[in-house]
Amino acid sequence: MKDVAAKAGVSLGTVSNVLNKPDRVSAPTRDRVQAAIEQLGFVRNETARQLRSGHSRTLAYVALDSGNPFFTDVAEGVQDAAEASGLAVFLCNSREDGGRQDFYLDMLEQQRVEGILITPTDNATDRLDQVRRRGIPVVVVDRDAGPDFCSVTVDDVAGGELAATHLLEAGHRRIAFIGGPMTIGQAADRLTGARKAVASVPGAELVVLETSALNVAEGRRAGERLAGLPGSRRPTAAFCANDLLALGLLQRMVRLGMDVPGDLAIVGYDDIEFAEAAAVPLTSVSQPRHLLGRTAAELLLDEASRDTAKHRHKQVVFSPELVVRASTRLRVTAT
């Protein structure tokens, strides 16, 4: 920085302002300093800056499963908001594992990130509260964390009810719910909504097939389980807790020679890009993925910039929408 100051003919403080508070420097002076930076090949020592300020110029998003396009879309929304504020984003993948999640939280605290966004694996409120009390703001994404945290989510109970209602209105009376583990709040909430819808229709039945993960492989296994049931007990429709499960189920049904939606109608959740591109385009409950991430990051940046006493936690809840495609169709209404 001293070399830059000498080259540009300005003080060391002016160079610091150009790097950290450019609005305080006149345009001609700013241009002269930037020219000196380029000529000398100067690169800011971010580690030294971090030691002085106590924070890095980074946010972090601890996603539940970065292999799921839903979470990468959320991360893009986070990145857009962060970049607009001159910050970078660390993306961490808990892989639905509480121990791995805690490992990342420990590491991010050590890195003194500006703030943490997280889609938690289970009830991690106490651990997140520890992080926040140590001075790092936390915003929960795609999960309600109560009044003590900012959160951004979609009403998953309403989404589950929306999916099951669609199948009931199509004439289905024995419906499978495929999802899990139920320690994941989103899966549990979507099941709650489906149960609510089914309970409102006399004679309707919900068959719950809990899975160990929310991925394509578990969807295929659920397909094997459904296909192995006697015809008289086999559901005629399935609501999957996310699109990856639904796509795995769809693959298995097609390979077993079963018709979708003739033998089994399928509804997914998230409406990822692959849902529409499937061999049988998938009916799905849509979430505003990019908006979830961007809104969560904006809440985090607002919390990080305010005095703790002045901050008021916000819980933003978006409404889901059903996108109907070829994987469901009307049936003859049951008598």
Side-chain angles (χ1 to χ4, degrees):
M1 287 178 65
K2 290 179 180 178
D3 292 339
V4 171
K7 179 77 172 178
V10 299
S11 69
L12 190 61
T14 299
V15 176
S16 177
N17 281 336
V18 169
L19 293 172
N20 300 295
K21 301 172 183 177
D23 56 302
R24 295 187 178 183
V25 184
S26 67
T29 302
R30 196 164 58 234
D31 292 342
R32 198 161 69 249
V33 171
Q34 290 291 356
I37 286 173
E38 292 178 10
Q39 291 170 18
L40 294 172
F42 170 79
V43 177
R44 174 206 301 259
N45 187 332
E46 182 61 23
T47 300
R49 191 208 65 79
Q50 180 178 334
L51 287 172
R52 289 193 302 271
S53 68
H55 289 283
S56 64
R57 294 187 60 77
T58 54
L59 303 180
Y61 176 37
V62 184
L64 197 63
D65 177 11
S66 63
N68 184 339
F70 170 81
F71 292 107
T72 55
D73 288 347
V74 171
E76 285 188 4
V78 172
Q79 186 174 8
D80 285 352
E83 287 181 352
S85 296
L87 302 177
V89 179
F90 289 148
L91 177 60
C92 307
N93 180 18
S94 72
R95 296 181 185 173
E96 304 178 15
D97 183 289
R100 189 179 179 91
Q101 172 181 275
D102 288 342
F103 166 78
Y104 278 123
L105 290 174
D106 290 340
M107 292 296 294
L108 294 170
E109 280 194 88
Q110 293 170 24
Q111 292 295 323
R112 297 294 191 270
V113 293
E114 289 279 353
I116 297 173
L117 301 113
I118 183 170
T119 303
T121 57
D122 50 25
N123 188 1
T125 303
D126 291 342
R127 181 69 181 86
L128 298 180
D129 192 49
Q130 289 177 359
V131 174
R132 190 185 57 189
R133 283 189 280 107
R134 290 171 184 153
I136 299 178
V138 176
V139 173
V140 178
V141 185
D142 197 37
R143 182 85 174 265
D144 180 19
D148 295 328
F149 291 89
C150 283
S151 63
V152 181
T153 188
V154 172
D155 188 341
D156 282 321
V157 174
E161 187 174 6
L162 195 64
T165 297
H166 171 66
L167 294 171
L168 291 164
E169 290 178 347
H172 299 281
R173 291 298 177 267
R174 183 174 290 111
I175 299 170
F177 174 84
I178 298 171
M182 291 306 158
T183 52
I184 296 176
Q186 297 91 326
D189 286 348
R190 292 164 196 177
L191 173 57
T192 296
R195 280 177 166 153
K196 182 178 178 181
V198 169
S200 69
V201 177
E205 177 186 2
L206 189 68
V207 179
V208 178
L209 300 181
E210 186 170 352
T211 61
S212 61
L214 298 166
N215 56 35
V216 172
E218 282 296 300
R220 294 192 191 107
R221 294 188 187 100
E224 294 284 358
R225 293 162 67 184
L226 282 179
L229 294 174
S232 60
R233 293 176 46 210
R234 186 183 305 142
T236 60
F239 165 41
C240 298
N242 76 355
D243 284 342
L244 295 185
L245 286 170
L247 291 169
L249 176 63
L250 173 61
Q251 289 176 5
R252 184 58 68 201
M253 293 298 100
V254 171
R255 289 181 182 178
L256 291 173
M258 300 180 70
D259 179 68
V260 176
D263 296 316
L264 185 74
I266 302 175
V267 177
Y269 205 107
D270 292 337
D271 195 30
I272 62 176
E273 185 176 351
F274 297 127
E276 187 174 9
V280 180
L282 186 66
T283 295
S284 184
V285 178
S286 177
Q287 302 193 78
R289 305 177 298 281
H290 189 276
L291 184 59
L292 274 171
R294 191 176 74 233
T295 303
E298 289 170 350
L299 288 176
L300 186 65
L301 291 168
D302 181 75
E303 183 171 352
S305 66
R306 289 180 181 271
D307 184 282
T308 304
K310 296 180 180 179
H311 176 72
R312 295 292 178 268
H313 294 304
K314 297 180 181 178
Q315 292 76 44
V316 180
V317 182
F318 293 106
S319 297
E321 296 181 1
L322 184 70
V323 179
V324 179
R325 299 192 180 97
S327 68
T328 58
R329 72 180 183 196
L330 292 174
R331 294 170 57 88
V332 176
T333 304
T335 58

